Amino acid sequence: MPAQILKVAPRPQPVTAAPLIRFAGVGLSFGRTEILRGIDLEIAAGEFVSVIGPSGCGKTTLLRLLAGLQKPSAGQVSMAGRPLRGPAPDIAVVFQDYANALLPWRTAAGNVALALEARGVPRPERAARIAELLQMVGLGAHAERFPAQMSGGMQQRLQIARCLAQDPSVLLMDEPFGALDAMTRHKLQDELRGIVRRTGVTAFFVTHDLEEAIYLGDRVIALAPHPGRIAHSFPVTLPPQRDQLSTREDPAFLALRRALFDFIQEASA
Amino acid sequence: MSARRHLAWGLASLLVLAMAIGLWSWIARAGLVSAVFLPGPERTWAAIVKGLQSGVLVQQTGQTLRRMVLGWGLASVLGIGAGAVIGLSARARVWVLPLLEGIRPLPASAVAPVAIVFLGLSEQMILVLIAFGALWPMLLTTAHGVASRPARLAEVSRCLGLSRTAYLRKIALPGALPDIFGGLRLGLTVALILAVVGEMITAQGGLGTRILLAARSFRAPDIFSGVVVLGLIGLASNAILSLAEAWLLRWRPR
């Protein structure tokens, strides 16, 4: 199975021999309910993987396994050759519900500081790093605002900044832009892609928006439900430089969108 | 608009206060109640001025204030500490809370004789009495506040690699602060009541002792001056707490 995925997924960037992340025969059941079965998946360092599938197919659960928030009942998830035993500071998670994931009593700067405090970054070094990260997500002028004084898009930017403060090698995102309006979503997609390319972080992006999955990803993993399993792995053959208008009109984009759409129709039936 | 309304409401409350004092003055002057029991505002005010000039009232107020603050502080430390532990652990909630719920309704004044047996009619006894009574609101609100934090923040904490104590200090307790403030406020009222009760029982000085002794020798203006000062203490301490709350919870959406 992994070999097959590798074959259909030629990556645009040079890839090291060993994958950074490996799911080997991973399954998860709660009592009699089987959520995920036989997940074999390899992700290379620096790769941007999008995950789609009909609702209830276990997309979020797959992400939680990789985050170490959930333990598999079968198989193993490993990172850099070592089995994952729980949440690792090296793996950052952007949750969909940004309002619950931020500390409302801390300012934007304070929320970013939390990740630095957890890493034990000495106090004198924090301020400069915080300013840099807030600048990177476009919140440079809003360091002293509390989350309640920010729009949804700004709050999600802030959560991304806090995740980057962990200096992670893997960035997990669970429908991060699902609750935002279309304009904000497009803007954040471009910013996210830019950040991922600049930092070289490996991205694992769960979404229900097929176009978003293609636009952002180097590869799109499609999950089928009952129980959740990997049905397809579609390589994204678009040039790395993407644009909200021209990329979305690219024949390769449209062809892949059609393939994903057909898959979802079939899987939901 | 809002500021003008604020002002209007403030003026209205002052007007009501003035009317209440006027009514009090009229009842006293009309002789509806014997002057031995009910001094008018004028004689009460005179007693306050006399107490301030001689320094006795200042000293007594200081004693009561000190006890109230110390006992309340003791209760805060114990209540918030124990409440945090109970709030964090589902097991502690199941095992310990029923016991605490059983002790809580005990009137603190009924516990006073027990405290006297162990500590005598002493300063410590008053503080223990205050702490015992003021402990419960803080403990229960803290436990509730810590336990009802969104599960998401606990996951964020795990993902960031925060230690358990860091989680408690940086996430659980600040998140429970709105609830804790409710407990601090209730506890402060209880602390003032029990400071006075303790002073009446032990005769260790303070406003409680002043009122008790004045009552025994029918010095009504002295009683009333003590009561008025107690009312002012309650008003002022609540106002200070409200200011602290407004500042510490300024992050809340309005």
Side-chain angles (χ1 to χ4, degrees):
Chain A
M1 191 75 170
Q4 189 193 344
I5 287 170
L6 282 174
K7 205 171 69 197
V8 297
R11 293 185 193 86
Q13 65 266 72
V15 165
T16 42
L20 181 65
I21 293 158
R22 184 198 295 268
F23 285 74
V26 170
L28 180 71
S29 305
F30 292 124
R32 292 234 182 118
T33 318
E34 197 177 16
I35 311 289
L36 291 169
R37 180 194 290 174
I39 303 288
D40 288 304
L41 175 65
E42 295 186 348
I43 300 172
E47 196 179 6
F48 198 126
V49 173
S50 302
V51 180
I52 59 135
S55 36
C57 69
K59 300 185 292 272
T60 295
T61 310
L62 191 63
L63 178 137
R64 289 176 64 81
L65 284 167
L66 185 47
L69 291 170
Q70 191 80 60
K71 283 194 171 57
S73 36
Q76 195 176 58
V77 184
S78 52
M79 179 162 144
R82 268 190 238 124
L84 215 58
R85 300 204 184 285
D90 203 20
I91 302 176
V93 186
V94 179
F95 294 100
Q96 178 180 13
D97 52 340
Y98 41 78
N100 290 328
L102 295 170
L103 308 189
W105 54 88
R106 286 199 182 203
T107 59
N111 269 285
V112 175
L114 184 69
L116 300 177
E117 291 161 21
R119 279 175 59 206
V121 175
R123 193 178 291 271
E125 292 169 29
R126 285 181 210 156
R129 183 79 182 123
I130 291 168
E132 183 189 346
L133 286 163
L134 288 177
Q135 200 69 47
M136 191 187 281
V137 298
L139 293 177
H142 307 294
E144 294 311 315
R145 281 210 206 186
F146 288 103
Q149 301 166 330
M150 302 166 99
S151 68
M154 290 166 81
Q155 290 185 40
Q156 193 57 293
R157 284 193 172 101
L158 177 55
Q159 199 191 175
I160 292 171
R162 184 178 68 197
C163 284
L164 294 174
Q166 287 178 252
D167 210 359
S169 44
V170 182
L171 187 59
L172 310 180
M173 289 160 281
D174 186 9
E175 302 196 19
F177 309 143
L180 304 175
D181 65 88
M183 288 295 286
T184 310
R185 195 156 61 225
H186 285 177
K187 198 153 185 293
L188 276 173
Q189 284 167 356
D190 287 332
E191 289 174 14
L192 175 68
R193 210 177 138 78
I195 288 169
V196 168
R197 281 167 63 80
R198 276 206 303 284
T199 56
V201 70
T202 305
F204 187 90
F205 191 98
V206 170
T207 179
H208 61 257
D209 179 343
L210 305 183
E211 295 198 13
E212 183 175 66
I214 304 166
Y215 186 76
L216 289 173
D218 299 323
R219 178 156 58 118
V220 180
I221 303 284
L223 294 189
H226 313 300
R229 60 201 183 277
I230 295 178
H232 294 285
S233 174
F234 299 95
V236 178
T237 53
L238 298 163
Q241 198 62 45
R242 295 181 189 177
D243 175 88
Q244 288 290 357
L245 287 178
S246 60
T247 300
R248 286 173 192 269
E249 287 165 355
D250 191 305
F253 184 94
L254 295 172
L256 189 47
R257 194 183 84 149
R258 181 62 199 243
L260 292 179
F261 190 81
D262 288 344
F263 164 77
I264 292 286
Q265 290 289 87
E266 199 182 310
S268 314
Chain B
M1 171 63 200
S2 159
R4 196 185 293 174
R5 198 172 138 162
H6 217 78
L7 190 68
W9 285 73
L11 285 176
S13 74
L14 279 181
L15 191 68
V16 171
L17 182 66
M19 279 165 63
I21 293 175
L23 185 68
W24 172 20
S25 176
W26 176 77
I27 291 174
R29 257 183 292 169
L32 292 179
V33 180
S34 160
V36 177
F37 303 118
L38 183 74
E42 302 84 1
R43 286 174 62 207
T44 304
W45 177 246
I48 292 176
V49 171
K50 198 178 130 214
L52 289 178
Q53 278 166 349
S54 69
V56 176
L57 187 58
V58 177
Q59 190 208 358
Q60 287 167 334
T61 305
Q63 282 174 313
T64 302
L65 261 182
R66 199 179 63 95
R67 287 174 185 136
M68 176 184 89
V69 170
L70 280 181
W72 179 72
L74 190 61
S76 307
V77 171
L78 293 175
I80 294 173
V85 172
I86 293 169
L88 274 187
S89 152
R91 193 173 295 173
R93 280 202 296 284
V94 174
W95 289 5
V96 181
L97 264 190
L99 171 70
L100 297 182
E101 289 285 356
I103 302 175
R104 187 174 65 98
L106 283 179
S109 45
V111 179
V114 182
I116 292 171
V117 168
F118 285 100
L119 297 165
L121 294 172
S122 64
E123 187 74 32
Q124 290 92 316
M125 179 261 152
I126 302 179
L127 292 184
V128 166
L129 185 67
I130 297 173
F132 176 83
L135 178 73
W136 306 106
M138 315 210 196
L139 189 150
L140 295 173
T141 52
T142 306
H144 174 262
V146 168
S148 60
R149 278 295 86 207
R152 184 63 85 209
L153 281 181
E155 286 187 350
V156 166
S157 170
R158 288 175 65 199
C159 289
L160 290 174
L162 286 173
S163 69
R164 218 174 150 68
T165 51
Y167 169 70
L168 183 64
R169 206 158 48 82
K170 296 180 177 182
I171 296 182
L173 281 180
L177 208 54
D179 290 300
I180 293 174
F181 259 107
L184 288 175
R185 199 183 282 275
L186 282 171
L188 194 63
T189 310
V190 174
L192 181 57
I193 294 170
L194 290 178
V196 173
V197 169
E199 286 168 354
M200 285 180 169
I201 296 174
T202 61
Q204 290 283 314
L207 292 171
T209 307
R210 171 194 180 91
I211 292 170
L212 188 76
L213 295 183
R216 284 190 181 157
S217 45
F218 297 98
R219 282 182 280 117
D222 284 348
I223 306 179
F224 273 69
S225 60
V227 171
V228 167
V229 172
L230 283 173
L232 291 177
I233 290 177
L235 208 62
S237 56
N238 224 326
I240 292 171
L241 205 57
S242 292
L243 280 179
E245 184 176 1
W247 168 248
L248 284 171
L249 301 182
R250 67 190 183 284
W251 48 269
R252 283 205 293 193
R254 257 159 291 168

